[in-house]
Amino acid sequence: MTTRLLRLLPLVLLAAAAAALLATGALHWLAPTAVLTQASDFLGLASSRPWLTGALLASAIAAVSALGLPGAAGLFAVSGFLLGVVPALAVAMAGTVLGTSVLFAALRLALSASRSLDPRASRVAAQSQQRFQRSPLLFALFLRALPVLPNGIATAVLALLRCRWPVFIAASAVGPLGNAGLLAWLGSQLAFELRSGRPLHAEMLADPRWWLPLLALALLVLVPALLRSRRGAIAER
């Protein structure tokens, strides 16, 4: 019993930290709306101390990812706003890999202490495991690339499927880059507009610099529905 409780302890501590952050609103200052409110101050910090800004943003992404909280996508956009697209991609990769690895390790440790699953749940888990084993890396990359799937859920699914560490780290590093790149581009364009002294207005959406990334994000969100409809059509035939 003592060994089982010790294996559950890291996950319990992460859950407690997540609840505390949500209750206190400690991460509110890094939300996109807060950054826009104090845009000039944040841009000044990023210009004078880019490495410190990148480290803070990577730490914030790692924190929300490790605690299974939503918000990583917003921080990708904030990173592009403050640092530009290429540095934002490096920040997104570092923060995502570090944070999800902490949560993944805690989940795997907790699962090793869990009791046997209900027989019906075991059958579902076995079927999912079979699909995963056909192409582990592609399956893991698909989970990580979906903008609508929070990091915490994707990490939990991969832990349940007993994903190997090399596959997990590779998927965590590469999977979010498409989503992060689009959001960072939008953030960088917003910073460009603010630095140019132009007012923000709805007509900006007519510019391809804005609507093309938004269209690409919408297509990424629709990927699961398109795949389901394709599977249904194949099954009917």
Side-chain angles (χ1 to χ4, degrees), residues 19-98:
L21 285 176
L22 287 173
T24 60
L27 293 179
H28 174 71
W29 69 278
L30 270 177
T33 51
V35 173
L36 287 177
T37 303
Q38 303 177 1
S40 58
D41 295 335
F42 278 108
L43 286 172
L45 174 65
S47 298
S48 60
R49 297 185 177 180
W51 288 100
L52 174 61
T53 305
L56 290 173
L57 287 166
S59 299
I61 294 170
V64 297
S65 299
L67 300 178
L69 296 173
L75 289 169
F76 294 162
V78 171
S79 300
F81 176 80
L82 295 176
L83 301 172
V85 176
V86 175
L89 289 176
V91 164
M93 181 184 293
T96 302
V97 170
L98 178 60

Coordinates of all heavy atoms in Angstrom, one line a residue, residues 19-98:
A19 N -4.8 22.9 -9.4 CA -5.9 23.5 -8.7 C -5.6 24.8 -8.1 O -6.4 25.8 -8.1 CB -6.5 22.5 -7.7
A20 N -4.4 24.9 -7.5 CA -4.0 26.1 -6.8 C -3.8 27.2 -7.8 O -4.2 28.4 -7.6 CB -2.7 25.9 -6.0
L21 N -3.2 27.0 -9.0 CA -3.0 28.0 -10.0 C -4.3 28.5 -10.6 O -4.5 29.7 -10.8 CB -2.1 27.4 -11.1 CG -0.6 27.3 -10.8 CD1 0.1 26.7 -12.0 CD2 0.0 28.7 -10.5
L22 N -5.3 27.5 -10.8 CA -6.6 27.9 -11.3 C -7.3 28.8 -10.2 O -8.0 29.7 -10.6 CB -7.4 26.7 -11.6 CG -7.0 25.9 -12.9 CD1 -7.8 24.6 -13.0 CD2 -7.2 26.8 -14.1
A23 N -7.2 28.4 -9.0 CA -7.9 29.1 -7.9 C -7.4 30.6 -7.7 O -8.1 31.5 -7.5 CB -7.8 28.4 -6.6
T24 N -6.0 30.7 -7.8 CA -5.4 32.0 -7.6 C -5.3 32.9 -8.9 O -5.1 34.1 -8.8 CB -4.0 31.8 -7.0 OG1 -3.2 31.1 -7.9 CG2 -4.1 31.1 -5.7
G25 N -5.5 32.2 -10.1 CA -5.3 33.0 -11.3 C -3.9 33.5 -11.5 O -3.6 34.5 -12.1
A26 N -2.9 32.7 -11.1 CA -1.5 33.1 -11.1 C -1.0 33.2 -12.5 O 0.0 33.9 -12.8 CB -0.6 32.1 -10.3
L27 N -1.6 32.4 -13.5 CA -1.1 32.5 -14.9 C -1.8 33.5 -15.7 O -1.6 33.6 -16.9 CB -1.3 31.1 -15.5 CG -0.4 30.0 -15.0 CD1 -0.7 28.7 -15.7 CD2 1.1 30.3 -15.1
H28 N -2.7 34.3 -15.1 CA -3.5 35.3 -15.9 C -2.6 36.3 -16.5 O -3.0 36.8 -17.6 CB -4.5 35.9 -14.9 CG -5.3 37.1 -15.6 ND1 -6.2 36.8 -16.6 CD2 -5.2 38.4 -15.5 CE1 -6.7 38.0 -17.0 NE2 -6.1 38.9 -16.3
W29 N -1.5 36.6 -15.9 CA -0.7 37.7 -16.5 C 0.0 37.3 -17.8 O 0.4 38.2 -18.6 CB 0.4 38.1 -15.5 CG 1.5 37.1 -15.3 CD1 1.4 36.0 -14.4 CD2 2.8 37.0 -15.9 NE1 2.5 35.3 -14.5 CE2 3.4 35.9 -15.4 CE3 3.4 37.8 -16.8 CZ2 4.7 35.5 -15.8 CZ3 4.7 37.5 -17.2 CH2 5.3 36.3 -16.7
L30 N 0.0 36.0 -18.1 CA 0.6 35.6 -19.4 C -0.5 35.3 -20.4 O -0.2 34.8 -21.5 CB 1.4 34.3 -19.2 CG 2.9 34.6 -18.9 CD1 3.6 33.3 -18.7 CD2 3.6 35.4 -20.0
A31 N -1.8 35.5 -20.1 CA -2.9 35.3 -21.1 C -2.7 36.4 -22.2 O -2.2 37.5 -22.0 CB -4.2 35.5 -20.4
P32 N -3.2 36.0 -23.4 CA -3.0 36.9 -24.6 C -3.7 38.3 -24.3 O -3.1 39.3 -24.7 CB -3.8 36.2 -25.7 CG -3.6 34.8 -25.4 CD -3.7 34.7 -23.9
T33 N -4.8 38.3 -23.6 CA -5.5 39.6 -23.3 C -4.6 40.5 -22.4 O -4.5 41.7 -22.6 CB -6.9 39.4 -22.7 OG1 -6.7 38.5 -21.6 CG2 -7.8 38.8 -23.7
A34 N -4.0 39.8 -21.4 CA -3.1 40.6 -20.5 C -1.9 41.2 -21.2 O -1.5 42.3 -21.0 CB -2.7 39.7 -19.4
V35 N -1.3 40.3 -22.2 CA -0.2 40.8 -22.9 C -0.6 42.0 -23.8 O 0.2 43.0 -23.9 CB 0.4 39.7 -23.8 CG1 1.5 40.2 -24.7 CG2 0.9 38.6 -22.9
L36 N -1.7 42.0 -24.4 CA -2.2 43.1 -25.3 C -2.4 44.3 -24.4 O -2.1 45.4 -24.9 CB -3.5 42.7 -26.0 CG -3.3 41.7 -27.1 CD1 -4.7 41.4 -27.7 CD2 -2.4 42.2 -28.2
T37 N -2.9 44.2 -23.2 CA -3.1 45.3 -22.3 C -1.8 46.1 -22.0 O -1.8 47.3 -21.9 CB -3.8 44.9 -21.0 OG1 -5.0 44.2 -21.4 CG2 -4.1 46.1 -20.2
Q38 N -0.8 45.3 -21.9 CA 0.5 45.9 -21.5 C 1.5 45.6 -22.6 O 2.7 45.3 -22.4 CB 1.0 45.3 -20.2 CG 0.1 45.6 -19.0 CD 0.6 44.9 -17.8 OE1 1.6 44.4 -17.7 NE2 -0.2 45.1 -16.7
A39 N 1.1 45.8 -23.9 CA 1.9 45.4 -25.0 C 3.2 46.1 -25.1 O 4.3 45.5 -25.3 CB 1.1 45.7 -26.3
S40 N 3.3 47.4 -24.8 CA 4.5 48.2 -25.0 C 5.5 47.7 -23.9 O 6.7 47.6 -24.2 CB 4.2 49.7 -24.8 OG 3.6 49.9 -23.5
D41 N 5.1 47.4 -22.7 CA 6.0 47.0 -21.7 C 6.6 45.6 -22.0 O 7.8 45.4 -21.9 CB 5.3 46.9 -20.3 CG 4.9 48.3 -19.8 OD1 5.5 49.3 -20.2 OD2 3.9 48.3 -19.0
F42 N 5.7 44.7 -22.5 CA 6.2 43.4 -22.8 C 7.2 43.4 -24.0 O 8.2 42.7 -24.1 CB 5.0 42.4 -23.1 CG 4.4 41.9 -21.9 CD1 3.1 42.3 -21.5 CD2 5.0 40.9 -21.1 CE1 2.5 41.8 -20.3 CE2 4.4 40.4 -20.0 CZ 3.2 40.8 -19.6
L43 N 6.8 44.2 -25.0 CA 7.7 44.3 -26.2 C 9.0 44.9 -25.8 O 10.1 44.5 -26.4 CB 7.0 45.1 -27.3 CG 5.9 44.4 -28.0 CD1 5.1 45.4 -28.9 CD2 6.4 43.3 -28.8
G44 N 9.0 45.9 -24.9 CA 10.3 46.5 -24.4 C 11.2 45.4 -23.8 O 12.4 45.4 -24.0
L45 N 10.5 44.6 -22.9 CA 11.3 43.5 -22.2 C 11.9 42.5 -23.2 O 13.0 42.1 -23.1 CB 10.4 42.8 -21.2 CG 11.0 41.6 -20.5 CD1 12.2 42.0 -19.7 CD2 9.9 40.9 -19.7
A46 N 11.0 42.2 -24.2 CA 11.5 41.2 -25.2 C 12.6 41.7 -26.1 O 13.5 41.0 -26.5 CB 10.3 40.8 -26.1
S47 N 12.6 43.0 -26.3 CA 13.7 43.7 -27.1 C 15.0 43.8 -26.4 O 16.1 43.5 -26.9 CB 13.2 45.0 -27.6 OG 12.1 45.0 -28.4
S48 N 14.9 44.1 -25.1 CA 16.1 44.3 -24.3 C 16.6 43.0 -23.7 O 17.9 42.8 -23.6 CB 15.8 45.3 -23.1 OG 14.8 44.7 -22.3
R49 N 15.8 42.0 -23.4 CA 16.2 40.7 -22.8 C 15.5 39.6 -23.5 O 14.6 38.9 -22.9 CB 15.9 40.7 -21.3 CG 16.7 41.8 -20.6 CD 16.5 41.7 -19.1 NE 17.3 42.6 -18.4 CZ 17.3 42.8 -17.0 NH1 16.5 42.0 -16.3 NH2 18.1 43.7 -16.5
P50 N 15.8 39.3 -24.8 CA 15.1 38.2 -25.5 C 15.3 36.9 -24.9 O 14.4 36.0 -24.9 CB 15.6 38.3 -26.9 CG 17.0 39.0 -26.7 CD 16.8 40.0 -25.6
W51 N 16.5 36.6 -24.4 CA 16.8 35.2 -23.8 C 15.9 35.0 -22.5 O 15.4 34.0 -22.3 CB 18.2 35.1 -23.5 CG 19.1 34.9 -24.8 CD1 19.8 35.8 -25.4 CD2 19.2 33.7 -25.5 NE1 20.4 35.3 -26.5 CE2 20.0 34.0 -26.6 CE3 18.7 32.4 -25.4 CZ2 20.4 33.0 -27.6 CZ3 19.0 31.5 -26.4 CH2 19.9 31.8 -27.4
L52 N 15.9 36.1 -21.7 CA 15.1 36.0 -20.5 C 13.6 35.8 -20.8 O 12.9 35.0 -20.2 CB 15.3 37.2 -19.6 CG 14.4 37.3 -18.4 CD1 14.7 36.2 -17.4 CD2 14.6 38.7 -17.7
T53 N 13.1 36.6 -21.8 CA 11.7 36.5 -22.2 C 11.4 35.1 -22.7 O 10.4 34.5 -22.4 CB 11.4 37.5 -23.3 OG1 11.8 38.8 -22.8 CG2 10.0 37.5 -23.7
G54 N 12.3 34.5 -23.6 CA 12.1 33.2 -24.1 C 12.1 32.1 -23.0 O 11.3 31.2 -23.0
A55 N 13.0 32.3 -22.0 CA 13.1 31.3 -20.9 C 11.8 31.4 -20.1 O 11.2 30.4 -19.6 CB 14.3 31.6 -20.0
L56 N 11.3 32.6 -19.8 CA 10.0 32.8 -19.1 C 8.8 32.1 -19.8 O 8.0 31.5 -19.2 CB 9.7 34.2 -18.8 CG 10.7 34.9 -17.8 CD1 10.4 36.4 -17.7 CD2 10.5 34.3 -16.4
L57 N 8.8 32.4 -21.1 CA 7.7 31.8 -21.9 C 7.8 30.3 -22.0 O 6.8 29.6 -21.9 CB 7.7 32.4 -23.3 CG 7.2 33.8 -23.4 CD1 7.6 34.4 -24.8 CD2 5.7 33.9 -23.2
A58 N 9.0 29.7 -22.2 CA 9.2 28.3 -22.2 C 8.8 27.7 -20.9 O 8.1 26.6 -20.8 CB 10.6 27.9 -22.5
S59 N 9.1 28.4 -19.8 CA 8.7 27.9 -18.4 C 7.2 27.9 -18.2 O 6.7 27.0 -17.6 CB 9.4 28.8 -17.4 OG 10.8 28.7 -17.5
A60 N 6.6 29.0 -18.8 CA 5.1 29.0 -18.7 C 4.4 27.9 -19.5 O 3.5 27.3 -19.0 CB 4.6 30.4 -19.1
I61 N 4.9 27.6 -20.7 CA 4.4 26.6 -21.5 C 4.6 25.2 -20.8 O 3.8 24.3 -20.8 CB 5.0 26.6 -22.9 CG1 4.6 27.8 -23.7 CG2 4.6 25.3 -23.7 CD1 5.3 28.0 -25.0
A62 N 5.8 25.0 -20.2 CA 6.1 23.8 -19.5 C 5.2 23.6 -18.3 O 4.8 22.5 -18.0 CB 7.6 23.8 -19.1
A63 N 4.9 24.7 -17.6 CA 4.1 24.7 -16.4 C 2.7 24.2 -16.8 O 2.1 23.3 -16.1 CB 4.1 26.0 -15.7
V64 N 2.1 24.9 -17.7 CA 0.7 24.5 -18.1 C 0.6 23.1 -18.7 O -0.4 22.4 -18.5 CB 0.0 25.6 -19.0 CG1 -0.1 26.9 -18.4 CG2 0.8 25.7 -20.4
S65 N 1.7 22.7 -19.4 CA 1.7 21.4 -20.0 C 1.8 20.3 -18.9 O 1.2 19.3 -18.9 CB 2.8 21.3 -21.0 OG 2.6 22.2 -22.1
A66 N 2.7 20.6 -17.9 CA 3.0 19.6 -16.9 C 1.8 19.5 -16.0 O 1.5 18.4 -15.5 CB 4.2 20.0 -16.0
L67 N 1.0 20.5 -15.8 CA -0.2 20.5 -14.9 C -1.4 20.1 -15.7 O -2.5 20.0 -15.1 CB -0.3 21.9 -14.3 CG 0.8 22.3 -13.4 CD1 0.6 23.7 -12.8 CD2 1.1 21.4 -12.3
G68 N -1.3 19.9 -17.0 CA -2.5 19.5 -17.8 C -3.5 20.6 -17.9 O -4.7 20.3 -18.2
L69 N -3.0 21.8 -17.9 CA -4.0 23.0 -18.0 C -4.0 23.4 -19.4 O -3.0 23.3 -20.2 CB -3.5 24.1 -17.1 CG -3.5 23.9 -15.6 CD1 -2.9 25.0 -14.9 CD2 -4.9 23.6 -15.1
P70 N -5.1 24.0 -19.9 CA -5.2 24.6 -21.2 C -4.4 25.9 -21.2 O -4.2 26.5 -20.1 CB -6.7 24.9 -21.4 CG -7.3 25.0 -20.0 CD -6.4 24.0 -19.2
G71 N -4.0 26.4 -22.3 CA -3.4 27.7 -22.4 C -2.1 27.7 -23.2 O -1.5 28.8 -23.5
A72 N -1.6 26.5 -23.5 CA -0.3 26.5 -24.3 C -0.5 27.1 -25.6 O 0.4 27.8 -26.1 CB 0.1 25.0 -24.5
A73 N -1.6 27.0 -26.3 CA -1.9 27.6 -27.6 C -1.8 29.1 -27.5 O -1.2 29.8 -28.4 CB -3.2 27.1 -28.2
G74 N -2.4 29.7 -26.5 CA -2.3 31.1 -26.3 C -0.9 31.6 -26.1 O -0.5 32.6 -26.6
L75 N -0.1 30.8 -25.4 CA 1.3 31.1 -25.1 C 2.1 31.0 -26.4 O 3.1 31.7 -26.5 CB 1.9 30.3 -24.0 CG 1.3 30.6 -22.6 CD1 1.7 29.5 -21.6 CD2 1.8 31.9 -22.1
F76 N 1.7 30.2 -27.3 CA 2.4 30.1 -28.6 C 2.2 31.4 -29.3 O 3.2 32.0 -29.9 CB 1.8 29.0 -29.5 CG 2.1 27.6 -29.0 CD1 1.3 26.5 -29.4 CD2 3.0 27.3 -28.0 CE1 1.5 25.2 -29.0 CE2 3.3 26.1 -27.5 CZ 2.5 25.0 -28.0
A77 N 1.0 32.0 -29.3 CA 0.7 33.3 -30.0 C 1.5 34.4 -29.3 O 2.0 35.3 -29.9 CB -0.8 33.5 -30.0
V78 N 1.5 34.3 -27.9 CA 2.2 35.4 -27.2 C 3.7 35.3 -27.5 O 4.4 36.3 -27.6 CB 2.0 35.1 -25.6 CG1 2.9 36.0 -24.8 CG2 0.6 35.4 -25.3
S79 N 4.3 34.1 -27.6 CA 5.7 34.0 -28.0 C 6.0 34.6 -29.3 O 7.0 35.3 -29.5 CB 6.1 32.5 -28.0 OG 5.9 31.9 -26.7
G80 N 5.1 34.4 -30.3 CA 5.3 35.0 -31.6 C 5.2 36.5 -31.5 O 5.9 37.2 -32.2
F81 N 4.3 37.0 -30.7 CA 4.1 38.4 -30.5 C 5.3 39.1 -29.9 O 5.7 40.2 -30.4 CB 2.9 38.6 -29.6 CG 2.6 40.0 -29.2 CD1 1.9 40.9 -30.0 CD2 3.0 40.5 -28.0 CE1 1.6 42.2 -29.7 CE2 2.8 41.8 -27.6 CZ 2.1 42.7 -28.5
L82 N 6.0 38.4 -29.0 CA 7.1 39.0 -28.3 C 8.4 38.7 -29.0 O 9.3 39.6 -28.9 CB 7.1 38.5 -26.8 CG 6.0 38.9 -25.9 CD1 6.1 38.3 -24.6 CD2 5.9 40.4 -25.8
L83 N 8.6 37.6 -29.6 CA 9.9 37.1 -30.0 C 10.0 37.0 -31.5 O 11.1 36.9 -32.1 CB 10.3 35.8 -29.4 CG 10.4 35.9 -27.8 CD1 10.6 34.4 -27.3 CD2 11.5 36.8 -27.3
G84 N 8.9 36.8 -32.3 CA 9.0 36.4 -33.7 C 8.7 34.9 -33.8 O 8.7 34.2 -32.9
V85 N 8.6 34.5 -35.1 CA 8.1 33.2 -35.4 C 9.2 32.1 -35.0 O 8.9 31.1 -34.3 CB 7.7 33.0 -36.9 CG1 7.4 31.6 -37.2 CG2 6.6 33.9 -37.2
V86 N 10.4 32.3 -35.5 CA 11.4 31.2 -35.3 C 11.8 31.1 -33.8 O 11.8 29.9 -33.3 CB 12.7 31.6 -36.1 CG1 13.8 30.5 -35.8 CG2 12.4 31.5 -37.6
P87 N 12.0 32.1 -33.1 CA 12.3 31.9 -31.6 C 11.0 31.3 -30.9 O 11.2 30.5 -30.0 CB 12.6 33.3 -31.1 CG 13.0 34.1 -32.3 CD 12.3 33.5 -33.4
A88 N 9.8 31.7 -31.4 CA 8.6 31.2 -30.8 C 8.5 29.7 -31.0 O 8.1 28.9 -30.1 CB 7.4 31.9 -31.3
L89 N 8.9 29.2 -32.1 CA 8.9 27.7 -32.4 C 9.9 27.0 -31.4 O 9.6 25.9 -30.9 CB 9.3 27.4 -33.8 CG 8.2 27.8 -34.9 CD1 8.8 27.5 -36.3 CD2 7.0 27.0 -34.7
A90 N 11.1 27.6 -31.2 CA 12.0 27.0 -30.3 C 11.5 27.0 -28.9 O 11.6 26.0 -28.1 CB 13.4 27.8 -30.3
V91 N 10.8 28.1 -28.5 CA 10.2 28.2 -27.1 C 9.1 27.1 -27.0 O 9.0 26.5 -26.0 CB 9.7 29.6 -26.9 CG1 8.7 29.6 -25.7 CG2 10.8 30.6 -26.7
A92 N 8.3 27.0 -28.0 CA 7.2 26.1 -28.0 C 7.7 24.6 -27.9 O 7.1 23.8 -27.1 CB 6.3 26.2 -29.2
M93 N 8.7 24.3 -28.6 CA 9.3 23.0 -28.6 C 9.8 22.6 -27.2 O 9.5 21.6 -26.6 CB 10.3 22.8 -29.7 CG 10.9 21.4 -29.7 SD 12.3 21.3 -30.9 CE 11.4 21.5 -32.5
A94 N 10.7 23.6 -26.7 CA 11.3 23.3 -25.4 C 10.3 23.2 -24.3 O 10.3 22.3 -23.5 CB 12.3 24.4 -25.1
G95 N 9.3 24.1 -24.2 CA 8.3 24.1 -23.2 C 7.4 22.9 -23.2 O 7.1 22.3 -22.2
T96 N 7.0 22.5 -24.5 CA 6.1 21.4 -24.6 C 6.8 20.1 -24.2 O 6.2 19.3 -23.5 CB 5.6 21.3 -26.0 OG1 4.9 22.5 -26.4 CG2 4.6 20.1 -26.2
V97 N 8.0 19.9 -24.7 CA 8.7 18.6 -24.4 C 9.0 18.5 -22.9 O 8.7 17.5 -22.3 CB 10.1 18.6 -25.2 CG1 10.9 17.4 -24.7 CG2 9.8 18.4 -26.6
L98 N 9.4 19.6 -22.3 CA 9.7 19.6 -20.8 C 8.5 19.3 -20.0 O 8.4 18.4 -19.1 CB 10.4 20.9 -20.4 CG 10.7 21.0 -18.9 CD1 11.7 19.9 -18.5 CD2 11.4 22.4 -18.6

